[in-house]
Amino acid sequence: MKLIFLGPPGAGKGTQSENICRDYGIVQLSTGDLLRANVAQKTELGLQAAESMRTGQLVPDDLIIEVIKNEMTRHRYQKGYVFDGFPRTVRQAEEYDRMLVQIKQKLDCVLVLEVPEDELVRRLTARRTCPVCGKSYHLIYNPPKADGLCDLGCGELVQRLDDTEGPIQNRLRIYNNQTKPLIEYYTKKKLARRIDGMGDIHEIYAQIKEILDPIAVAYDLVVSII
Ligand code: AP5
């Protein structure tokens, strides 16, 4: 099962991807997490991406396309994956289409999470993330079990550098200008499925499961009961 999560910053793509991977046994590929790991390790890619990420700009298409091409050769993606944060521009989507043709695979569904802008700002400013495993929390809506600590025992949670006022505004503007057109792109291909991203995390996931269960059955993936 091959999926894309599309939605503005803070819509809940990472949060819901975790649920999908747990229930359907596929893996998440978050370009944001992957880039942050490279920034932390000061790799060549990380050094090139760091400034764009800090200010909430997009990393250049060529770099991202190279990253995706490399990742897709890994065995772990064979059973299926959910892309969280890729593609983000029409050019990235077109390149991904070409890759799929080359490797004779098809994309099953594009999940579009819709959340109003004022709620996105509320979610992002109170988000805390684990720098080790990437799990994200919200101080009010989705707090960790122990204050300031990752539930998975990794250690202290941090606030992402781009989860502050200026970068958040940049990210929202860039989403509207460069990423939102992909909804139309995938609607034309009859792959886009819209999901109301407001409300309880479990209720939103129930909407997602309704869409994914029939696809998972076709792939013979485990469908668990929530
Ligand atoms: P990336 O890491 O992908 O960030 P993003 O797209 O801005 O998305 P977020 O991770 O901020 O939000 P999310 O939708 O995953 O929300 P979450 O589930 O955490 O990208 C970062 C940067 O990397 C980019 O700015 C760019 O520089 C670069 N980059 C990455 N990919 C790229 C690409 N393809 N091309 C170019 N550059 C790229 O939820 C948010 C908060 O809300 C959490 O606190 C969560 O607990 C809470 N929450 C979730 N659901 C709910 C709910 N239903 N109710 C209440 N709270 C909720």
Side-chain angles (χ1 to χ4, degrees):
M1 183 157 70
K2 284 126 207 126
L3 311 171
I4 287 175
F5 240 129
L6 207 57
K13 305 182 294 293
T15 303
Q16 298 295 346
S17 293
E18 254 181 58
N19 292 331
I20 293 174
C21 294
R22 180 198 62 220
D23 286 353
Y24 299 102
I26 61 175
V27 293
Q28 173 196 21
L29 174 51
S30 158
T31 39
D33 286 348
L34 200 142
L35 290 168
R36 276 185 289 280
N38 276 273
V39 171
Q41 288 159 21
K42 296 191 169 59
T43 65
E44 184 60 31
L45 169 65
L47 293 174
Q48 292 183 67
E51 185 55 17
S52 308
M53 294 183 74
R54 193 183 61 76
T55 55
Q57 306 293 325
L58 290 185
V59 171
D61 282 341
D62 287 337
L63 272 185
I64 295 290
I65 290 161
E66 200 51 40
V67 165
I68 294 291
K69 278 186 179 159
N70 287 337
E71 281 296 308
M72 292 215 3
T73 60
R74 293 181 197 269
H75 184 69
R76 63 192 296 259
Y77 299 108
Q78 293 311 307
K79 191 170 168 192
Y81 52 79
V82 52
F83 279 149
D84 161 8
F86 174 87
R88 256 180 155 94
T89 62
V90 171
R91 159 116 197 273
Q92 291 180 17
E94 289 171 347
E95 284 290 341
Y96 175 56
D97 282 347
R98 275 191 275 279
M99 282 180 226
L100 286 173
V101 171
Q102 270 173 13
I103 57 179
K104 297 188 176 60
Q105 286 185 357
K106 79 172 178 60
L107 175 63
D108 293 291
C109 183
V110 177
L111 300 162
V112 181
L113 266 180
E114 297 181 312
V115 178
E117 219 156 281
D118 53 348
E119 171 71 4
L120 295 172
V121 174
R122 267 196 293 278
R123 289 186 188 179
L124 291 172
T125 46
R127 172 167 60 183
R128 296 295 179 270
T129 51
C130 173
V132 179
C133 72
K135 190 170 167 57
S136 82
Y137 301 84
H138 188 279
L139 293 179
I140 297 153
Y141 303 140
N142 183 24
K145 288 177 187 140
D147 259 6
L149 295 176
C150 179
D151 290 353
L152 305 180
C154 309
E156 284 191 20
L157 302 176
V158 296
Q159 182 172 28
R160 269 170 48 176
L161 289 175
D162 59 351
D163 276 349
T164 48
E165 183 65 22
I168 289 175
Q169 291 308 326
N170 276 342
R171 288 157 69 198
L172 292 172
R173 188 173 38 77
I174 287 170
Y175 173 78
N176 287 324
N177 292 340
Q178 301 199 46
T179 309
K180 213 172 174 184
L182 292 180
I183 300 176
E184 179 64 16
Y185 182 91
Y186 287 115
T187 300
K188 283 189 182 147
K189 292 177 179 285
K190 299 193 180 350
L191 286 168
R193 300 292 302 270
R194 289 166 190 262
I195 295 147
D196 179 1
M198 281 298 280
D200 180 75
I201 291 174
H202 302 288
E203 283 166 15
I204 296 165
Y205 184 53
Q207 293 180 59
I208 294 172
K209 264 186 85 71
E210 253 181 57
I211 295 170
L212 296 187
D213 279 356
I215 303 174
V217 167
Y219 276 102
D220 211 10
L221 295 173
V222 177
V223 180
S224 65
I225 295 159
I226 55 167

